[in-house]
Amino acid sequence: MSRIPPWLFRKASRRSANIAALLPACRDLQSAMNEFRWLKEHVNSTASASKENLLYRLCRKRGQGYPLQYILGSQPFGPLDVKCRPGVLIPRPETEAYTYHLADLIKAGNLKTGEPGQRLGIVDFCTGTGCIPLLLYSLLYRKFEHLEVVGVDISTQAVSLSRDNIVHNVKLGHLPQPGTNRTLNILQQDIFQDEVIEKLQGRTWDVMISNPPYISRQVWYRGGGQIGHSVRKYEPSLALVPGNDISIPANWEHEDVFYSRLLNIAYNLKPKVILLEVGDEMQALRVISRLSQHKLSTNSHVEVWRDWPDLASSHDEESPLEITMDDGSSRLVSTKGSGNIRSIFIKLDV
């Protein structure tokens, strides 16, 4: 990361010492001014006896890289106000983008997942704050007479927070009240235990989605890739890095182990659509290559979505990905949208 030039600090200091304190995290003056405004609004909403001192402390805390969402306590996610707390991964705009795109495809009937006005089942693994299942529920609620959306996470903190987010957003009027025919639930389960399959089997799951831990131990401990210092310092490794106690199947990398398990779960639950967030292009290539050897690969259509799947691709982004198979052959997989490689979309004929 490049150093901030002294003239920029001087320019920020002329406006406010607090704005200058935010620069190391914000990197530019406009972003620092925006965050200062949000922090000031947050402080003014508190019952603090010394709002000026509190604002001073929070600006310096934020300037040291502490996530803004943990300070403010929430993050906008579509129409939702998603509560954020230390120990649970902060929702990202790229995750919001592919969730919206998936919902648009479902509503348009392009995926043949459920019929408008009838029944749709969605399960989200490694749900964190619950941002994905809550957003899908809010976007699809009026389209289906019977809607079942379930989020699954191993973390007690994440499950508690995601359930709080349901109550919070219903109270704000951002989320329709779940009822008998339209349900929204969060389960605490370890996806590496077969109990999670037993709990979910017997129901129709049209869509399976997941933003699992996918960062390698080397990147987490040494830095690099798309992960920043602030993420490694303040956000939970449980949500980002597969645990050391998870056994690694043959031909899989440690950072890809969740995808191996998710493909096995999908084989049992038989969704029509699978959407998996990945860390980068190389990981997408590895997972698709392993998918080609999996029982799910029969009659499957695969494409890769970029950060913003609903935007037109630039000339450099239009080329398909070339996947090298174990037998030395290659396969071309189309890409969709603009930005970095972000997720793998799998449509199954089941």
Side-chain angles (χ1 to χ4, degrees):
M1 183 181 294
S2 60
R3 292 181 295 175
I4 299 174
W7 64 264
L8 188 55
F9 273 111
R10 291 195 297 271
K11 189 174 182 179
S13 296
R14 284 195 291 269
R15 292 179 177 271
S16 163
N18 285 330
I19 292 176
L22 290 168
L23 267 183
C26 297
R27 308 304 297 173
D28 66 77
L29 184 57
Q30 187 58 55
S31 296
M33 291 169 61
N34 288 339
E35 292 203 7
F36 175 69
R37 185 179 75 254
W38 297 329
L39 287 166
K40 190 173 182 180
E41 291 171 355
H42 171 70
V43 168
N44 286 338
S45 70
T46 69
S48 172
S50 180
K51 290 182 169 52
E52 187 174 331
N53 286 339
L54 177 59
L55 182 60
Y56 173 88
R57 294 197 305 273
L58 293 183
C59 286
R60 277 141 190 83
K61 186 175 186 178
R62 171 62 186 139
Q64 294 167 1
Y66 194 78
L68 178 70
Q69 293 86 347
Y70 288 160
I71 296 175
L72 300 181
S74 68
Q75 167 67 27
F77 198 80
L80 307 175
D81 181 62
V82 175
K83 288 185 175 184
C84 299
R85 295 175 191 154
V88 183
L89 190 69
I90 297 167
R92 265 50 178 190
E94 297 84 2
T95 304
E96 178 184 324
Y98 68 64
T99 304
Y100 258 106
H101 190 64
L102 177 63
D104 287 342
L105 293 176
I106 294 171
K107 286 190 288 186
N110 294 345
L111 304 182
K112 294 182 171 50
T113 51
E115 293 296 330
Q118 296 183 23
R119 181 180 297 275
L120 182 72
I122 300 173
V123 60
D124 171 57
F125 291 102
C126 309
T127 204
T129 60
C131 59
I132 292 175
L134 268 67
L135 182 55
L136 287 173
Y137 185 84
S138 72
L139 296 175
L140 298 171
Y141 181 88
R142 290 177 177 83
K143 281 286 181 179
F144 296 91
E145 290 183 5
H146 297 270
L147 177 64
E148 182 174 13
V149 181
V150 172
V152 180
D153 206 292
I154 191 175
S155 164
T156 301
Q157 286 179 284
V159 169
S160 174
L161 180 58
S162 56
R163 289 172 177 168
D164 283 352
N165 270 320
I166 295 174
V167 174
H168 175 64
N169 281 278
V170 167
K171 188 178 296 184
L172 291 176
H174 299 332
L175 192 68
Q177 176 70 53
T180 304
N181 294 331
R182 299 179 179 95
T183 61
L184 174 60
N185 294 304
I186 308 296
L187 300 180
Q188 183 169 9
Q189 291 289 322
D190 180 352
I191 73 166
F192 287 92
Q193 300 297 320
D194 288 339
E195 184 182 354
V196 71
I197 297 175
E198 295 167 4
K199 281 188 172 292
L200 295 171
Q201 272 183 327
R203 288 175 273 174
T204 299
W205 300 108
D206 299 280
V207 178
M208 177 177 140
I209 186 169
S210 182
N211 176 13
Y214 54 63
I215 294 171
S216 71
R217 288 172 289 198
Q218 180 177 353
V219 168
W220 181 256
Y221 291 112
R222 300 181 185 177
Q226 299 177 31
I227 183 171
H229 172 74
S230 175
V231 175
R232 291 190 292 122
K233 186 173 182 180
Y234 296 111
E235 295 196 60
S237 62
L238 177 67
L240 294 162
V241 186
N244 293 328
D245 59 336
I246 300 173
S247 60
I248 305 170
N251 301 320
W252 286 83
E253 302 290 334
H254 172 262
E255 58 265 35
D256 303 335
V257 68
F258 269 80
Y259 302 107
S260 172
R261 178 58 177 170
L262 288 165
L263 293 180
N264 291 339
I265 290 175
Y267 183 76
N268 283 276
L269 298 186
K270 303 190 183 324
K272 299 180 182 71
V273 168
I274 304 169
L275 185 61
L276 305 173
E277 182 169 329
V278 292
D280 55 26
E281 180 175 330
M282 293 304 297
Q283 189 165 54
L285 294 173
R286 293 195 304 270
V287 174
I288 295 172
S289 177
R290 297 282 76 78
L291 169 63
S292 69
Q293 309 298 319
H294 196 275
K295 293 173 287 188
L296 277 176
S297 64
T298 305
N299 299 321
S300 66
H301 166 76
V302 181
E303 64 185 28
V304 172
W305 291 0
R306 296 183 180 274
D307 288 330
W308 319 111
D310 55 346
L311 296 184
S313 304
S314 67
H315 178 71
D316 294 339
E317 296 168 334
E318 291 176 348
S319 300
L321 295 184
E322 184 174 0
I323 314 294
T324 302
M325 304 302 178
D326 288 346
D327 61 4
S329 63
S330 62
R331 172 185 179 185
L332 295 179
V333 176
S334 63
T335 63
K336 185 177 189 179
S338 182
N340 295 316
I341 298 298
R342 183 57 53 194
S343 53
I344 299 170
F345 173 84
I346 307 167
K347 181 119 178 27
L348 302 170
D349 293 329
V350 294

